[in-house]
Amino acid sequence: MKILRIIDANINRTGEGLRVVEEVARFALNHGPLAGELKAMRHLLTEAAALLPGGKVALLSARQADEDVGADSFAPGEKRRGGLKDVFLANIRRVQEGTRVLEEFTKPLSQESAYKFKELRYRAYTLEKEMLPLLERPGFPGGLYLITGSDFTKGRPLLDVVAKAIEGGARVVQLREKEASVRELLNLGDKLRNLTREAGVTFIVNDRVDLARATDADGVHLGQDDLPIEAAREQLGWGKYIGISTHNLNQALAAQEAGADYIGVGPVYPTGTKKNLDPLVGPQLVAQVKKSVTIPIVAIGGINRENVNQVVEAGADGIAVITAVMGADDVVAAARELQGLFE
Ligand code: TZP
Ligand code: MG
């Protein structure tokens, strides 16, 4: 009876911890895959409990919550829980401790059940490792997102132009040089990494996860035919940003579901800088996607000072441009004007 009481209390503790962490994953991080894993863990907890002799009924009859001598005592720090991260840590800890207690006390009653509690504990460790970096890093920055393009600088050195764009307020810089070799990209990437790091600007590598890792970029930007988000995530972990280009609502929804940190939506307008351009989507798709996803959306394709207001009105959180900044006569002023729309 005493053992059943311990088991009952710890099933509750574990289930409540899982539920709190699930709410963080779902509503604070908008994170489909992690929320799904937490839901699956709650089911496993229920399954493990049902395997115990007497099942739920026996556990309930052992419950004496009103006589719990520990009910009024707060653990140190319990009243001073700060942000989401603290809530997360306290509750994932609760799950780990609860499942350890369950494993120990159910062993003599049901090996099978004890084994499931053990599995849950290990899944809680993995989850902690994956979810913590997400709570520690800020959300993807909105505003001006500059994409490099050495051919569009009007003959000026690329690094000078990028430095000027940063001076004008660009929040993100993406390395994208379609004609360059991997060795050239690595070289340029290292330089851009230094420049952006010093300025506190986010650095993203286009297409290639290996280069994102090699340059210690903040993330990667994928196309629909590149490595899938899940595979890129395996390589980069949750501490890095993964963005993906989308050209319709279904792709946008799938990207969010797969755990993308932001999505590109486009091409909004005609552009001369991309070969094999997908069909134009107009600001309409930006507005439609904005209504349907919660992750940041970055509009792309032919955006300039004349049409930018339309995409801002459509709800874009950021704008990704090549020509409007790389090719501007006054790069600082061009960047300042575009970034100014988001401040
Ligand atoms: N993807 C869709 S359009 C585009 C890319 C990379 C190019 C955007 O360049 P610009 O000069 O801002 O139109
Ligand atoms: Mg690409």
Side-chain angles (χ1 to χ4, degrees):
M1 195 63 173
K2 280 184 188 133
I3 289 187
L4 279 188
R5 196 177 159 203
I6 295 173
I7 293 173
D8 177 60
N10 280 279
I11 286 173
N12 290 339
R13 163 192 287 187
T14 304
E16 287 159 12
L18 284 171
R19 178 57 95 167
V20 172
V21 175
E22 187 179 331
E23 302 297 73
V24 174
R26 186 165 161 210
F27 296 110
L29 298 174
N30 291 308
H31 204 297
L34 284 176
E37 164 65 359
L38 283 151
K39 194 170 168 199
M41 287 168 75
R42 281 195 293 111
H43 286 302
L44 184 59
L45 179 69
T46 311
E47 267 175 48
L51 285 171
L52 291 165
K56 189 85 190 145
V57 179
L59 290 171
L60 275 177
S61 63
R63 187 171 299 174
Q64 294 170 292
D66 51 349
E67 289 170 33
D68 184 351
V69 290
D72 292 332
S73 66
F74 275 86
E78 197 166 345
K79 287 179 178 163
R80 283 181 284 110
R81 208 155 281 159
L84 272 180
K85 184 180 149 187
D86 287 352
V87 172
F88 167 72
L89 283 174
N91 282 280
I92 197 72
R93 216 57 92 224
R94 184 167 278 164
V95 173
Q96 290 156 358
E97 288 170 5
T99 47
R100 164 60 89 176
V101 173
L102 286 166
E103 190 183 327
E104 298 298 331
F105 283 94
T106 54
K107 248 181 230 164
L109 303 175
S110 160
Q111 277 289 342
E112 208 188 335
S113 178
Y115 193 78
K116 286 189 193 288
F117 290 128
K118 183 175 181 175
E119 181 192 330
L120 260 179
R121 186 161 56 86
Y122 278 94
R123 277 164 76 168
Y125 294 139
T126 306
L127 192 99
E128 179 180 1
K129 189 164 164 248
E130 289 185 344
M131 204 161 149
L132 191 57
L134 277 178
L135 291 160
E136 284 177 330
R137 75 147 191 218
F140 190 78
L144 178 60
Y145 180 137
L146 177 74
I147 303 176
T148 70
S150 295
D151 296 344
F152 306 99
T153 64
K154 296 185 169 159
R156 298 166 294 192
L158 183 74
L159 289 171
D160 291 356
V161 177
V162 173
K164 285 201 158 65
I166 290 174
E167 192 187 327
R171 300 304 307 134
V172 182
V173 172
Q174 181 193 119
L175 170 62
R176 180 180 185 275
E177 297 289 332
K178 287 293 182 181
E179 307 301 324
S181 70
V182 171
R183 205 58 77 82
E184 287 165 338
L185 286 167
L186 182 63
N187 208 303
L188 184 56
D190 284 339
K191 291 180 179 140
L192 288 170
R193 173 68 288 187
N194 288 339
L195 197 67
T196 48
R197 183 164 277 148
E198 237 160 67
V201 164
T202 299
F203 177 52
I204 300 289
V205 169
N206 190 45
D207 293 344
R208 301 192 60 135
V209 172
D210 55 349
L211 275 170
R213 286 182 69 141
T215 56
D216 193 27
D218 298 308
V220 72
H221 185 88
L222 303 168
Q224 289 289 325
D225 296 327
D226 294 324
L227 212 56
I229 292 173
E230 293 84 351
R233 187 65 79 191
E234 292 242 325
Q235 302 283 317
L236 292 174
W238 290 102
K240 301 289 186 185
Y241 298 116
I242 297 180
I244 181 164
S245 300
T246 64
H247 316 294
N248 57 53
L249 185 58
N250 281 342
Q251 288 175 350
L253 292 170
Q256 169 163 282
E257 184 67 25
D261 295 293
Y262 76 93
I263 46 180
V265 177
V268 179
Y269 304 110
T271 172
T273 52
K274 189 178 158 93
K275 292 180 189 147
N276 312 320
L277 197 67
D278 294 283
L280 298 186
V281 299
Q284 299 81 349
L285 185 67
V286 176
Q288 195 188 12
V289 170
K290 181 67 191 174
K291 285 197 207 98
S292 316
V293 303
T294 50
I295 53 178
I297 70 175
V298 178
I300 184 167
I303 296 169
N304 57 40
R305 59 198 302 250
E306 267 82 50
N307 59 26
V308 63
N309 281 314
Q310 294 178 315
V311 289
V312 172
E313 271 161 35
D317 299 290
I319 47 164
V321 305
I322 302 178
T323 320
V325 171
M326 300 297 294
D329 290 330
D330 185 339
V331 174
V332 181
R336 190 165 285 146
E337 183 181 346
L338 294 173
Q339 172 61 25
L341 298 170
F342 295 91
E343 284 171 359

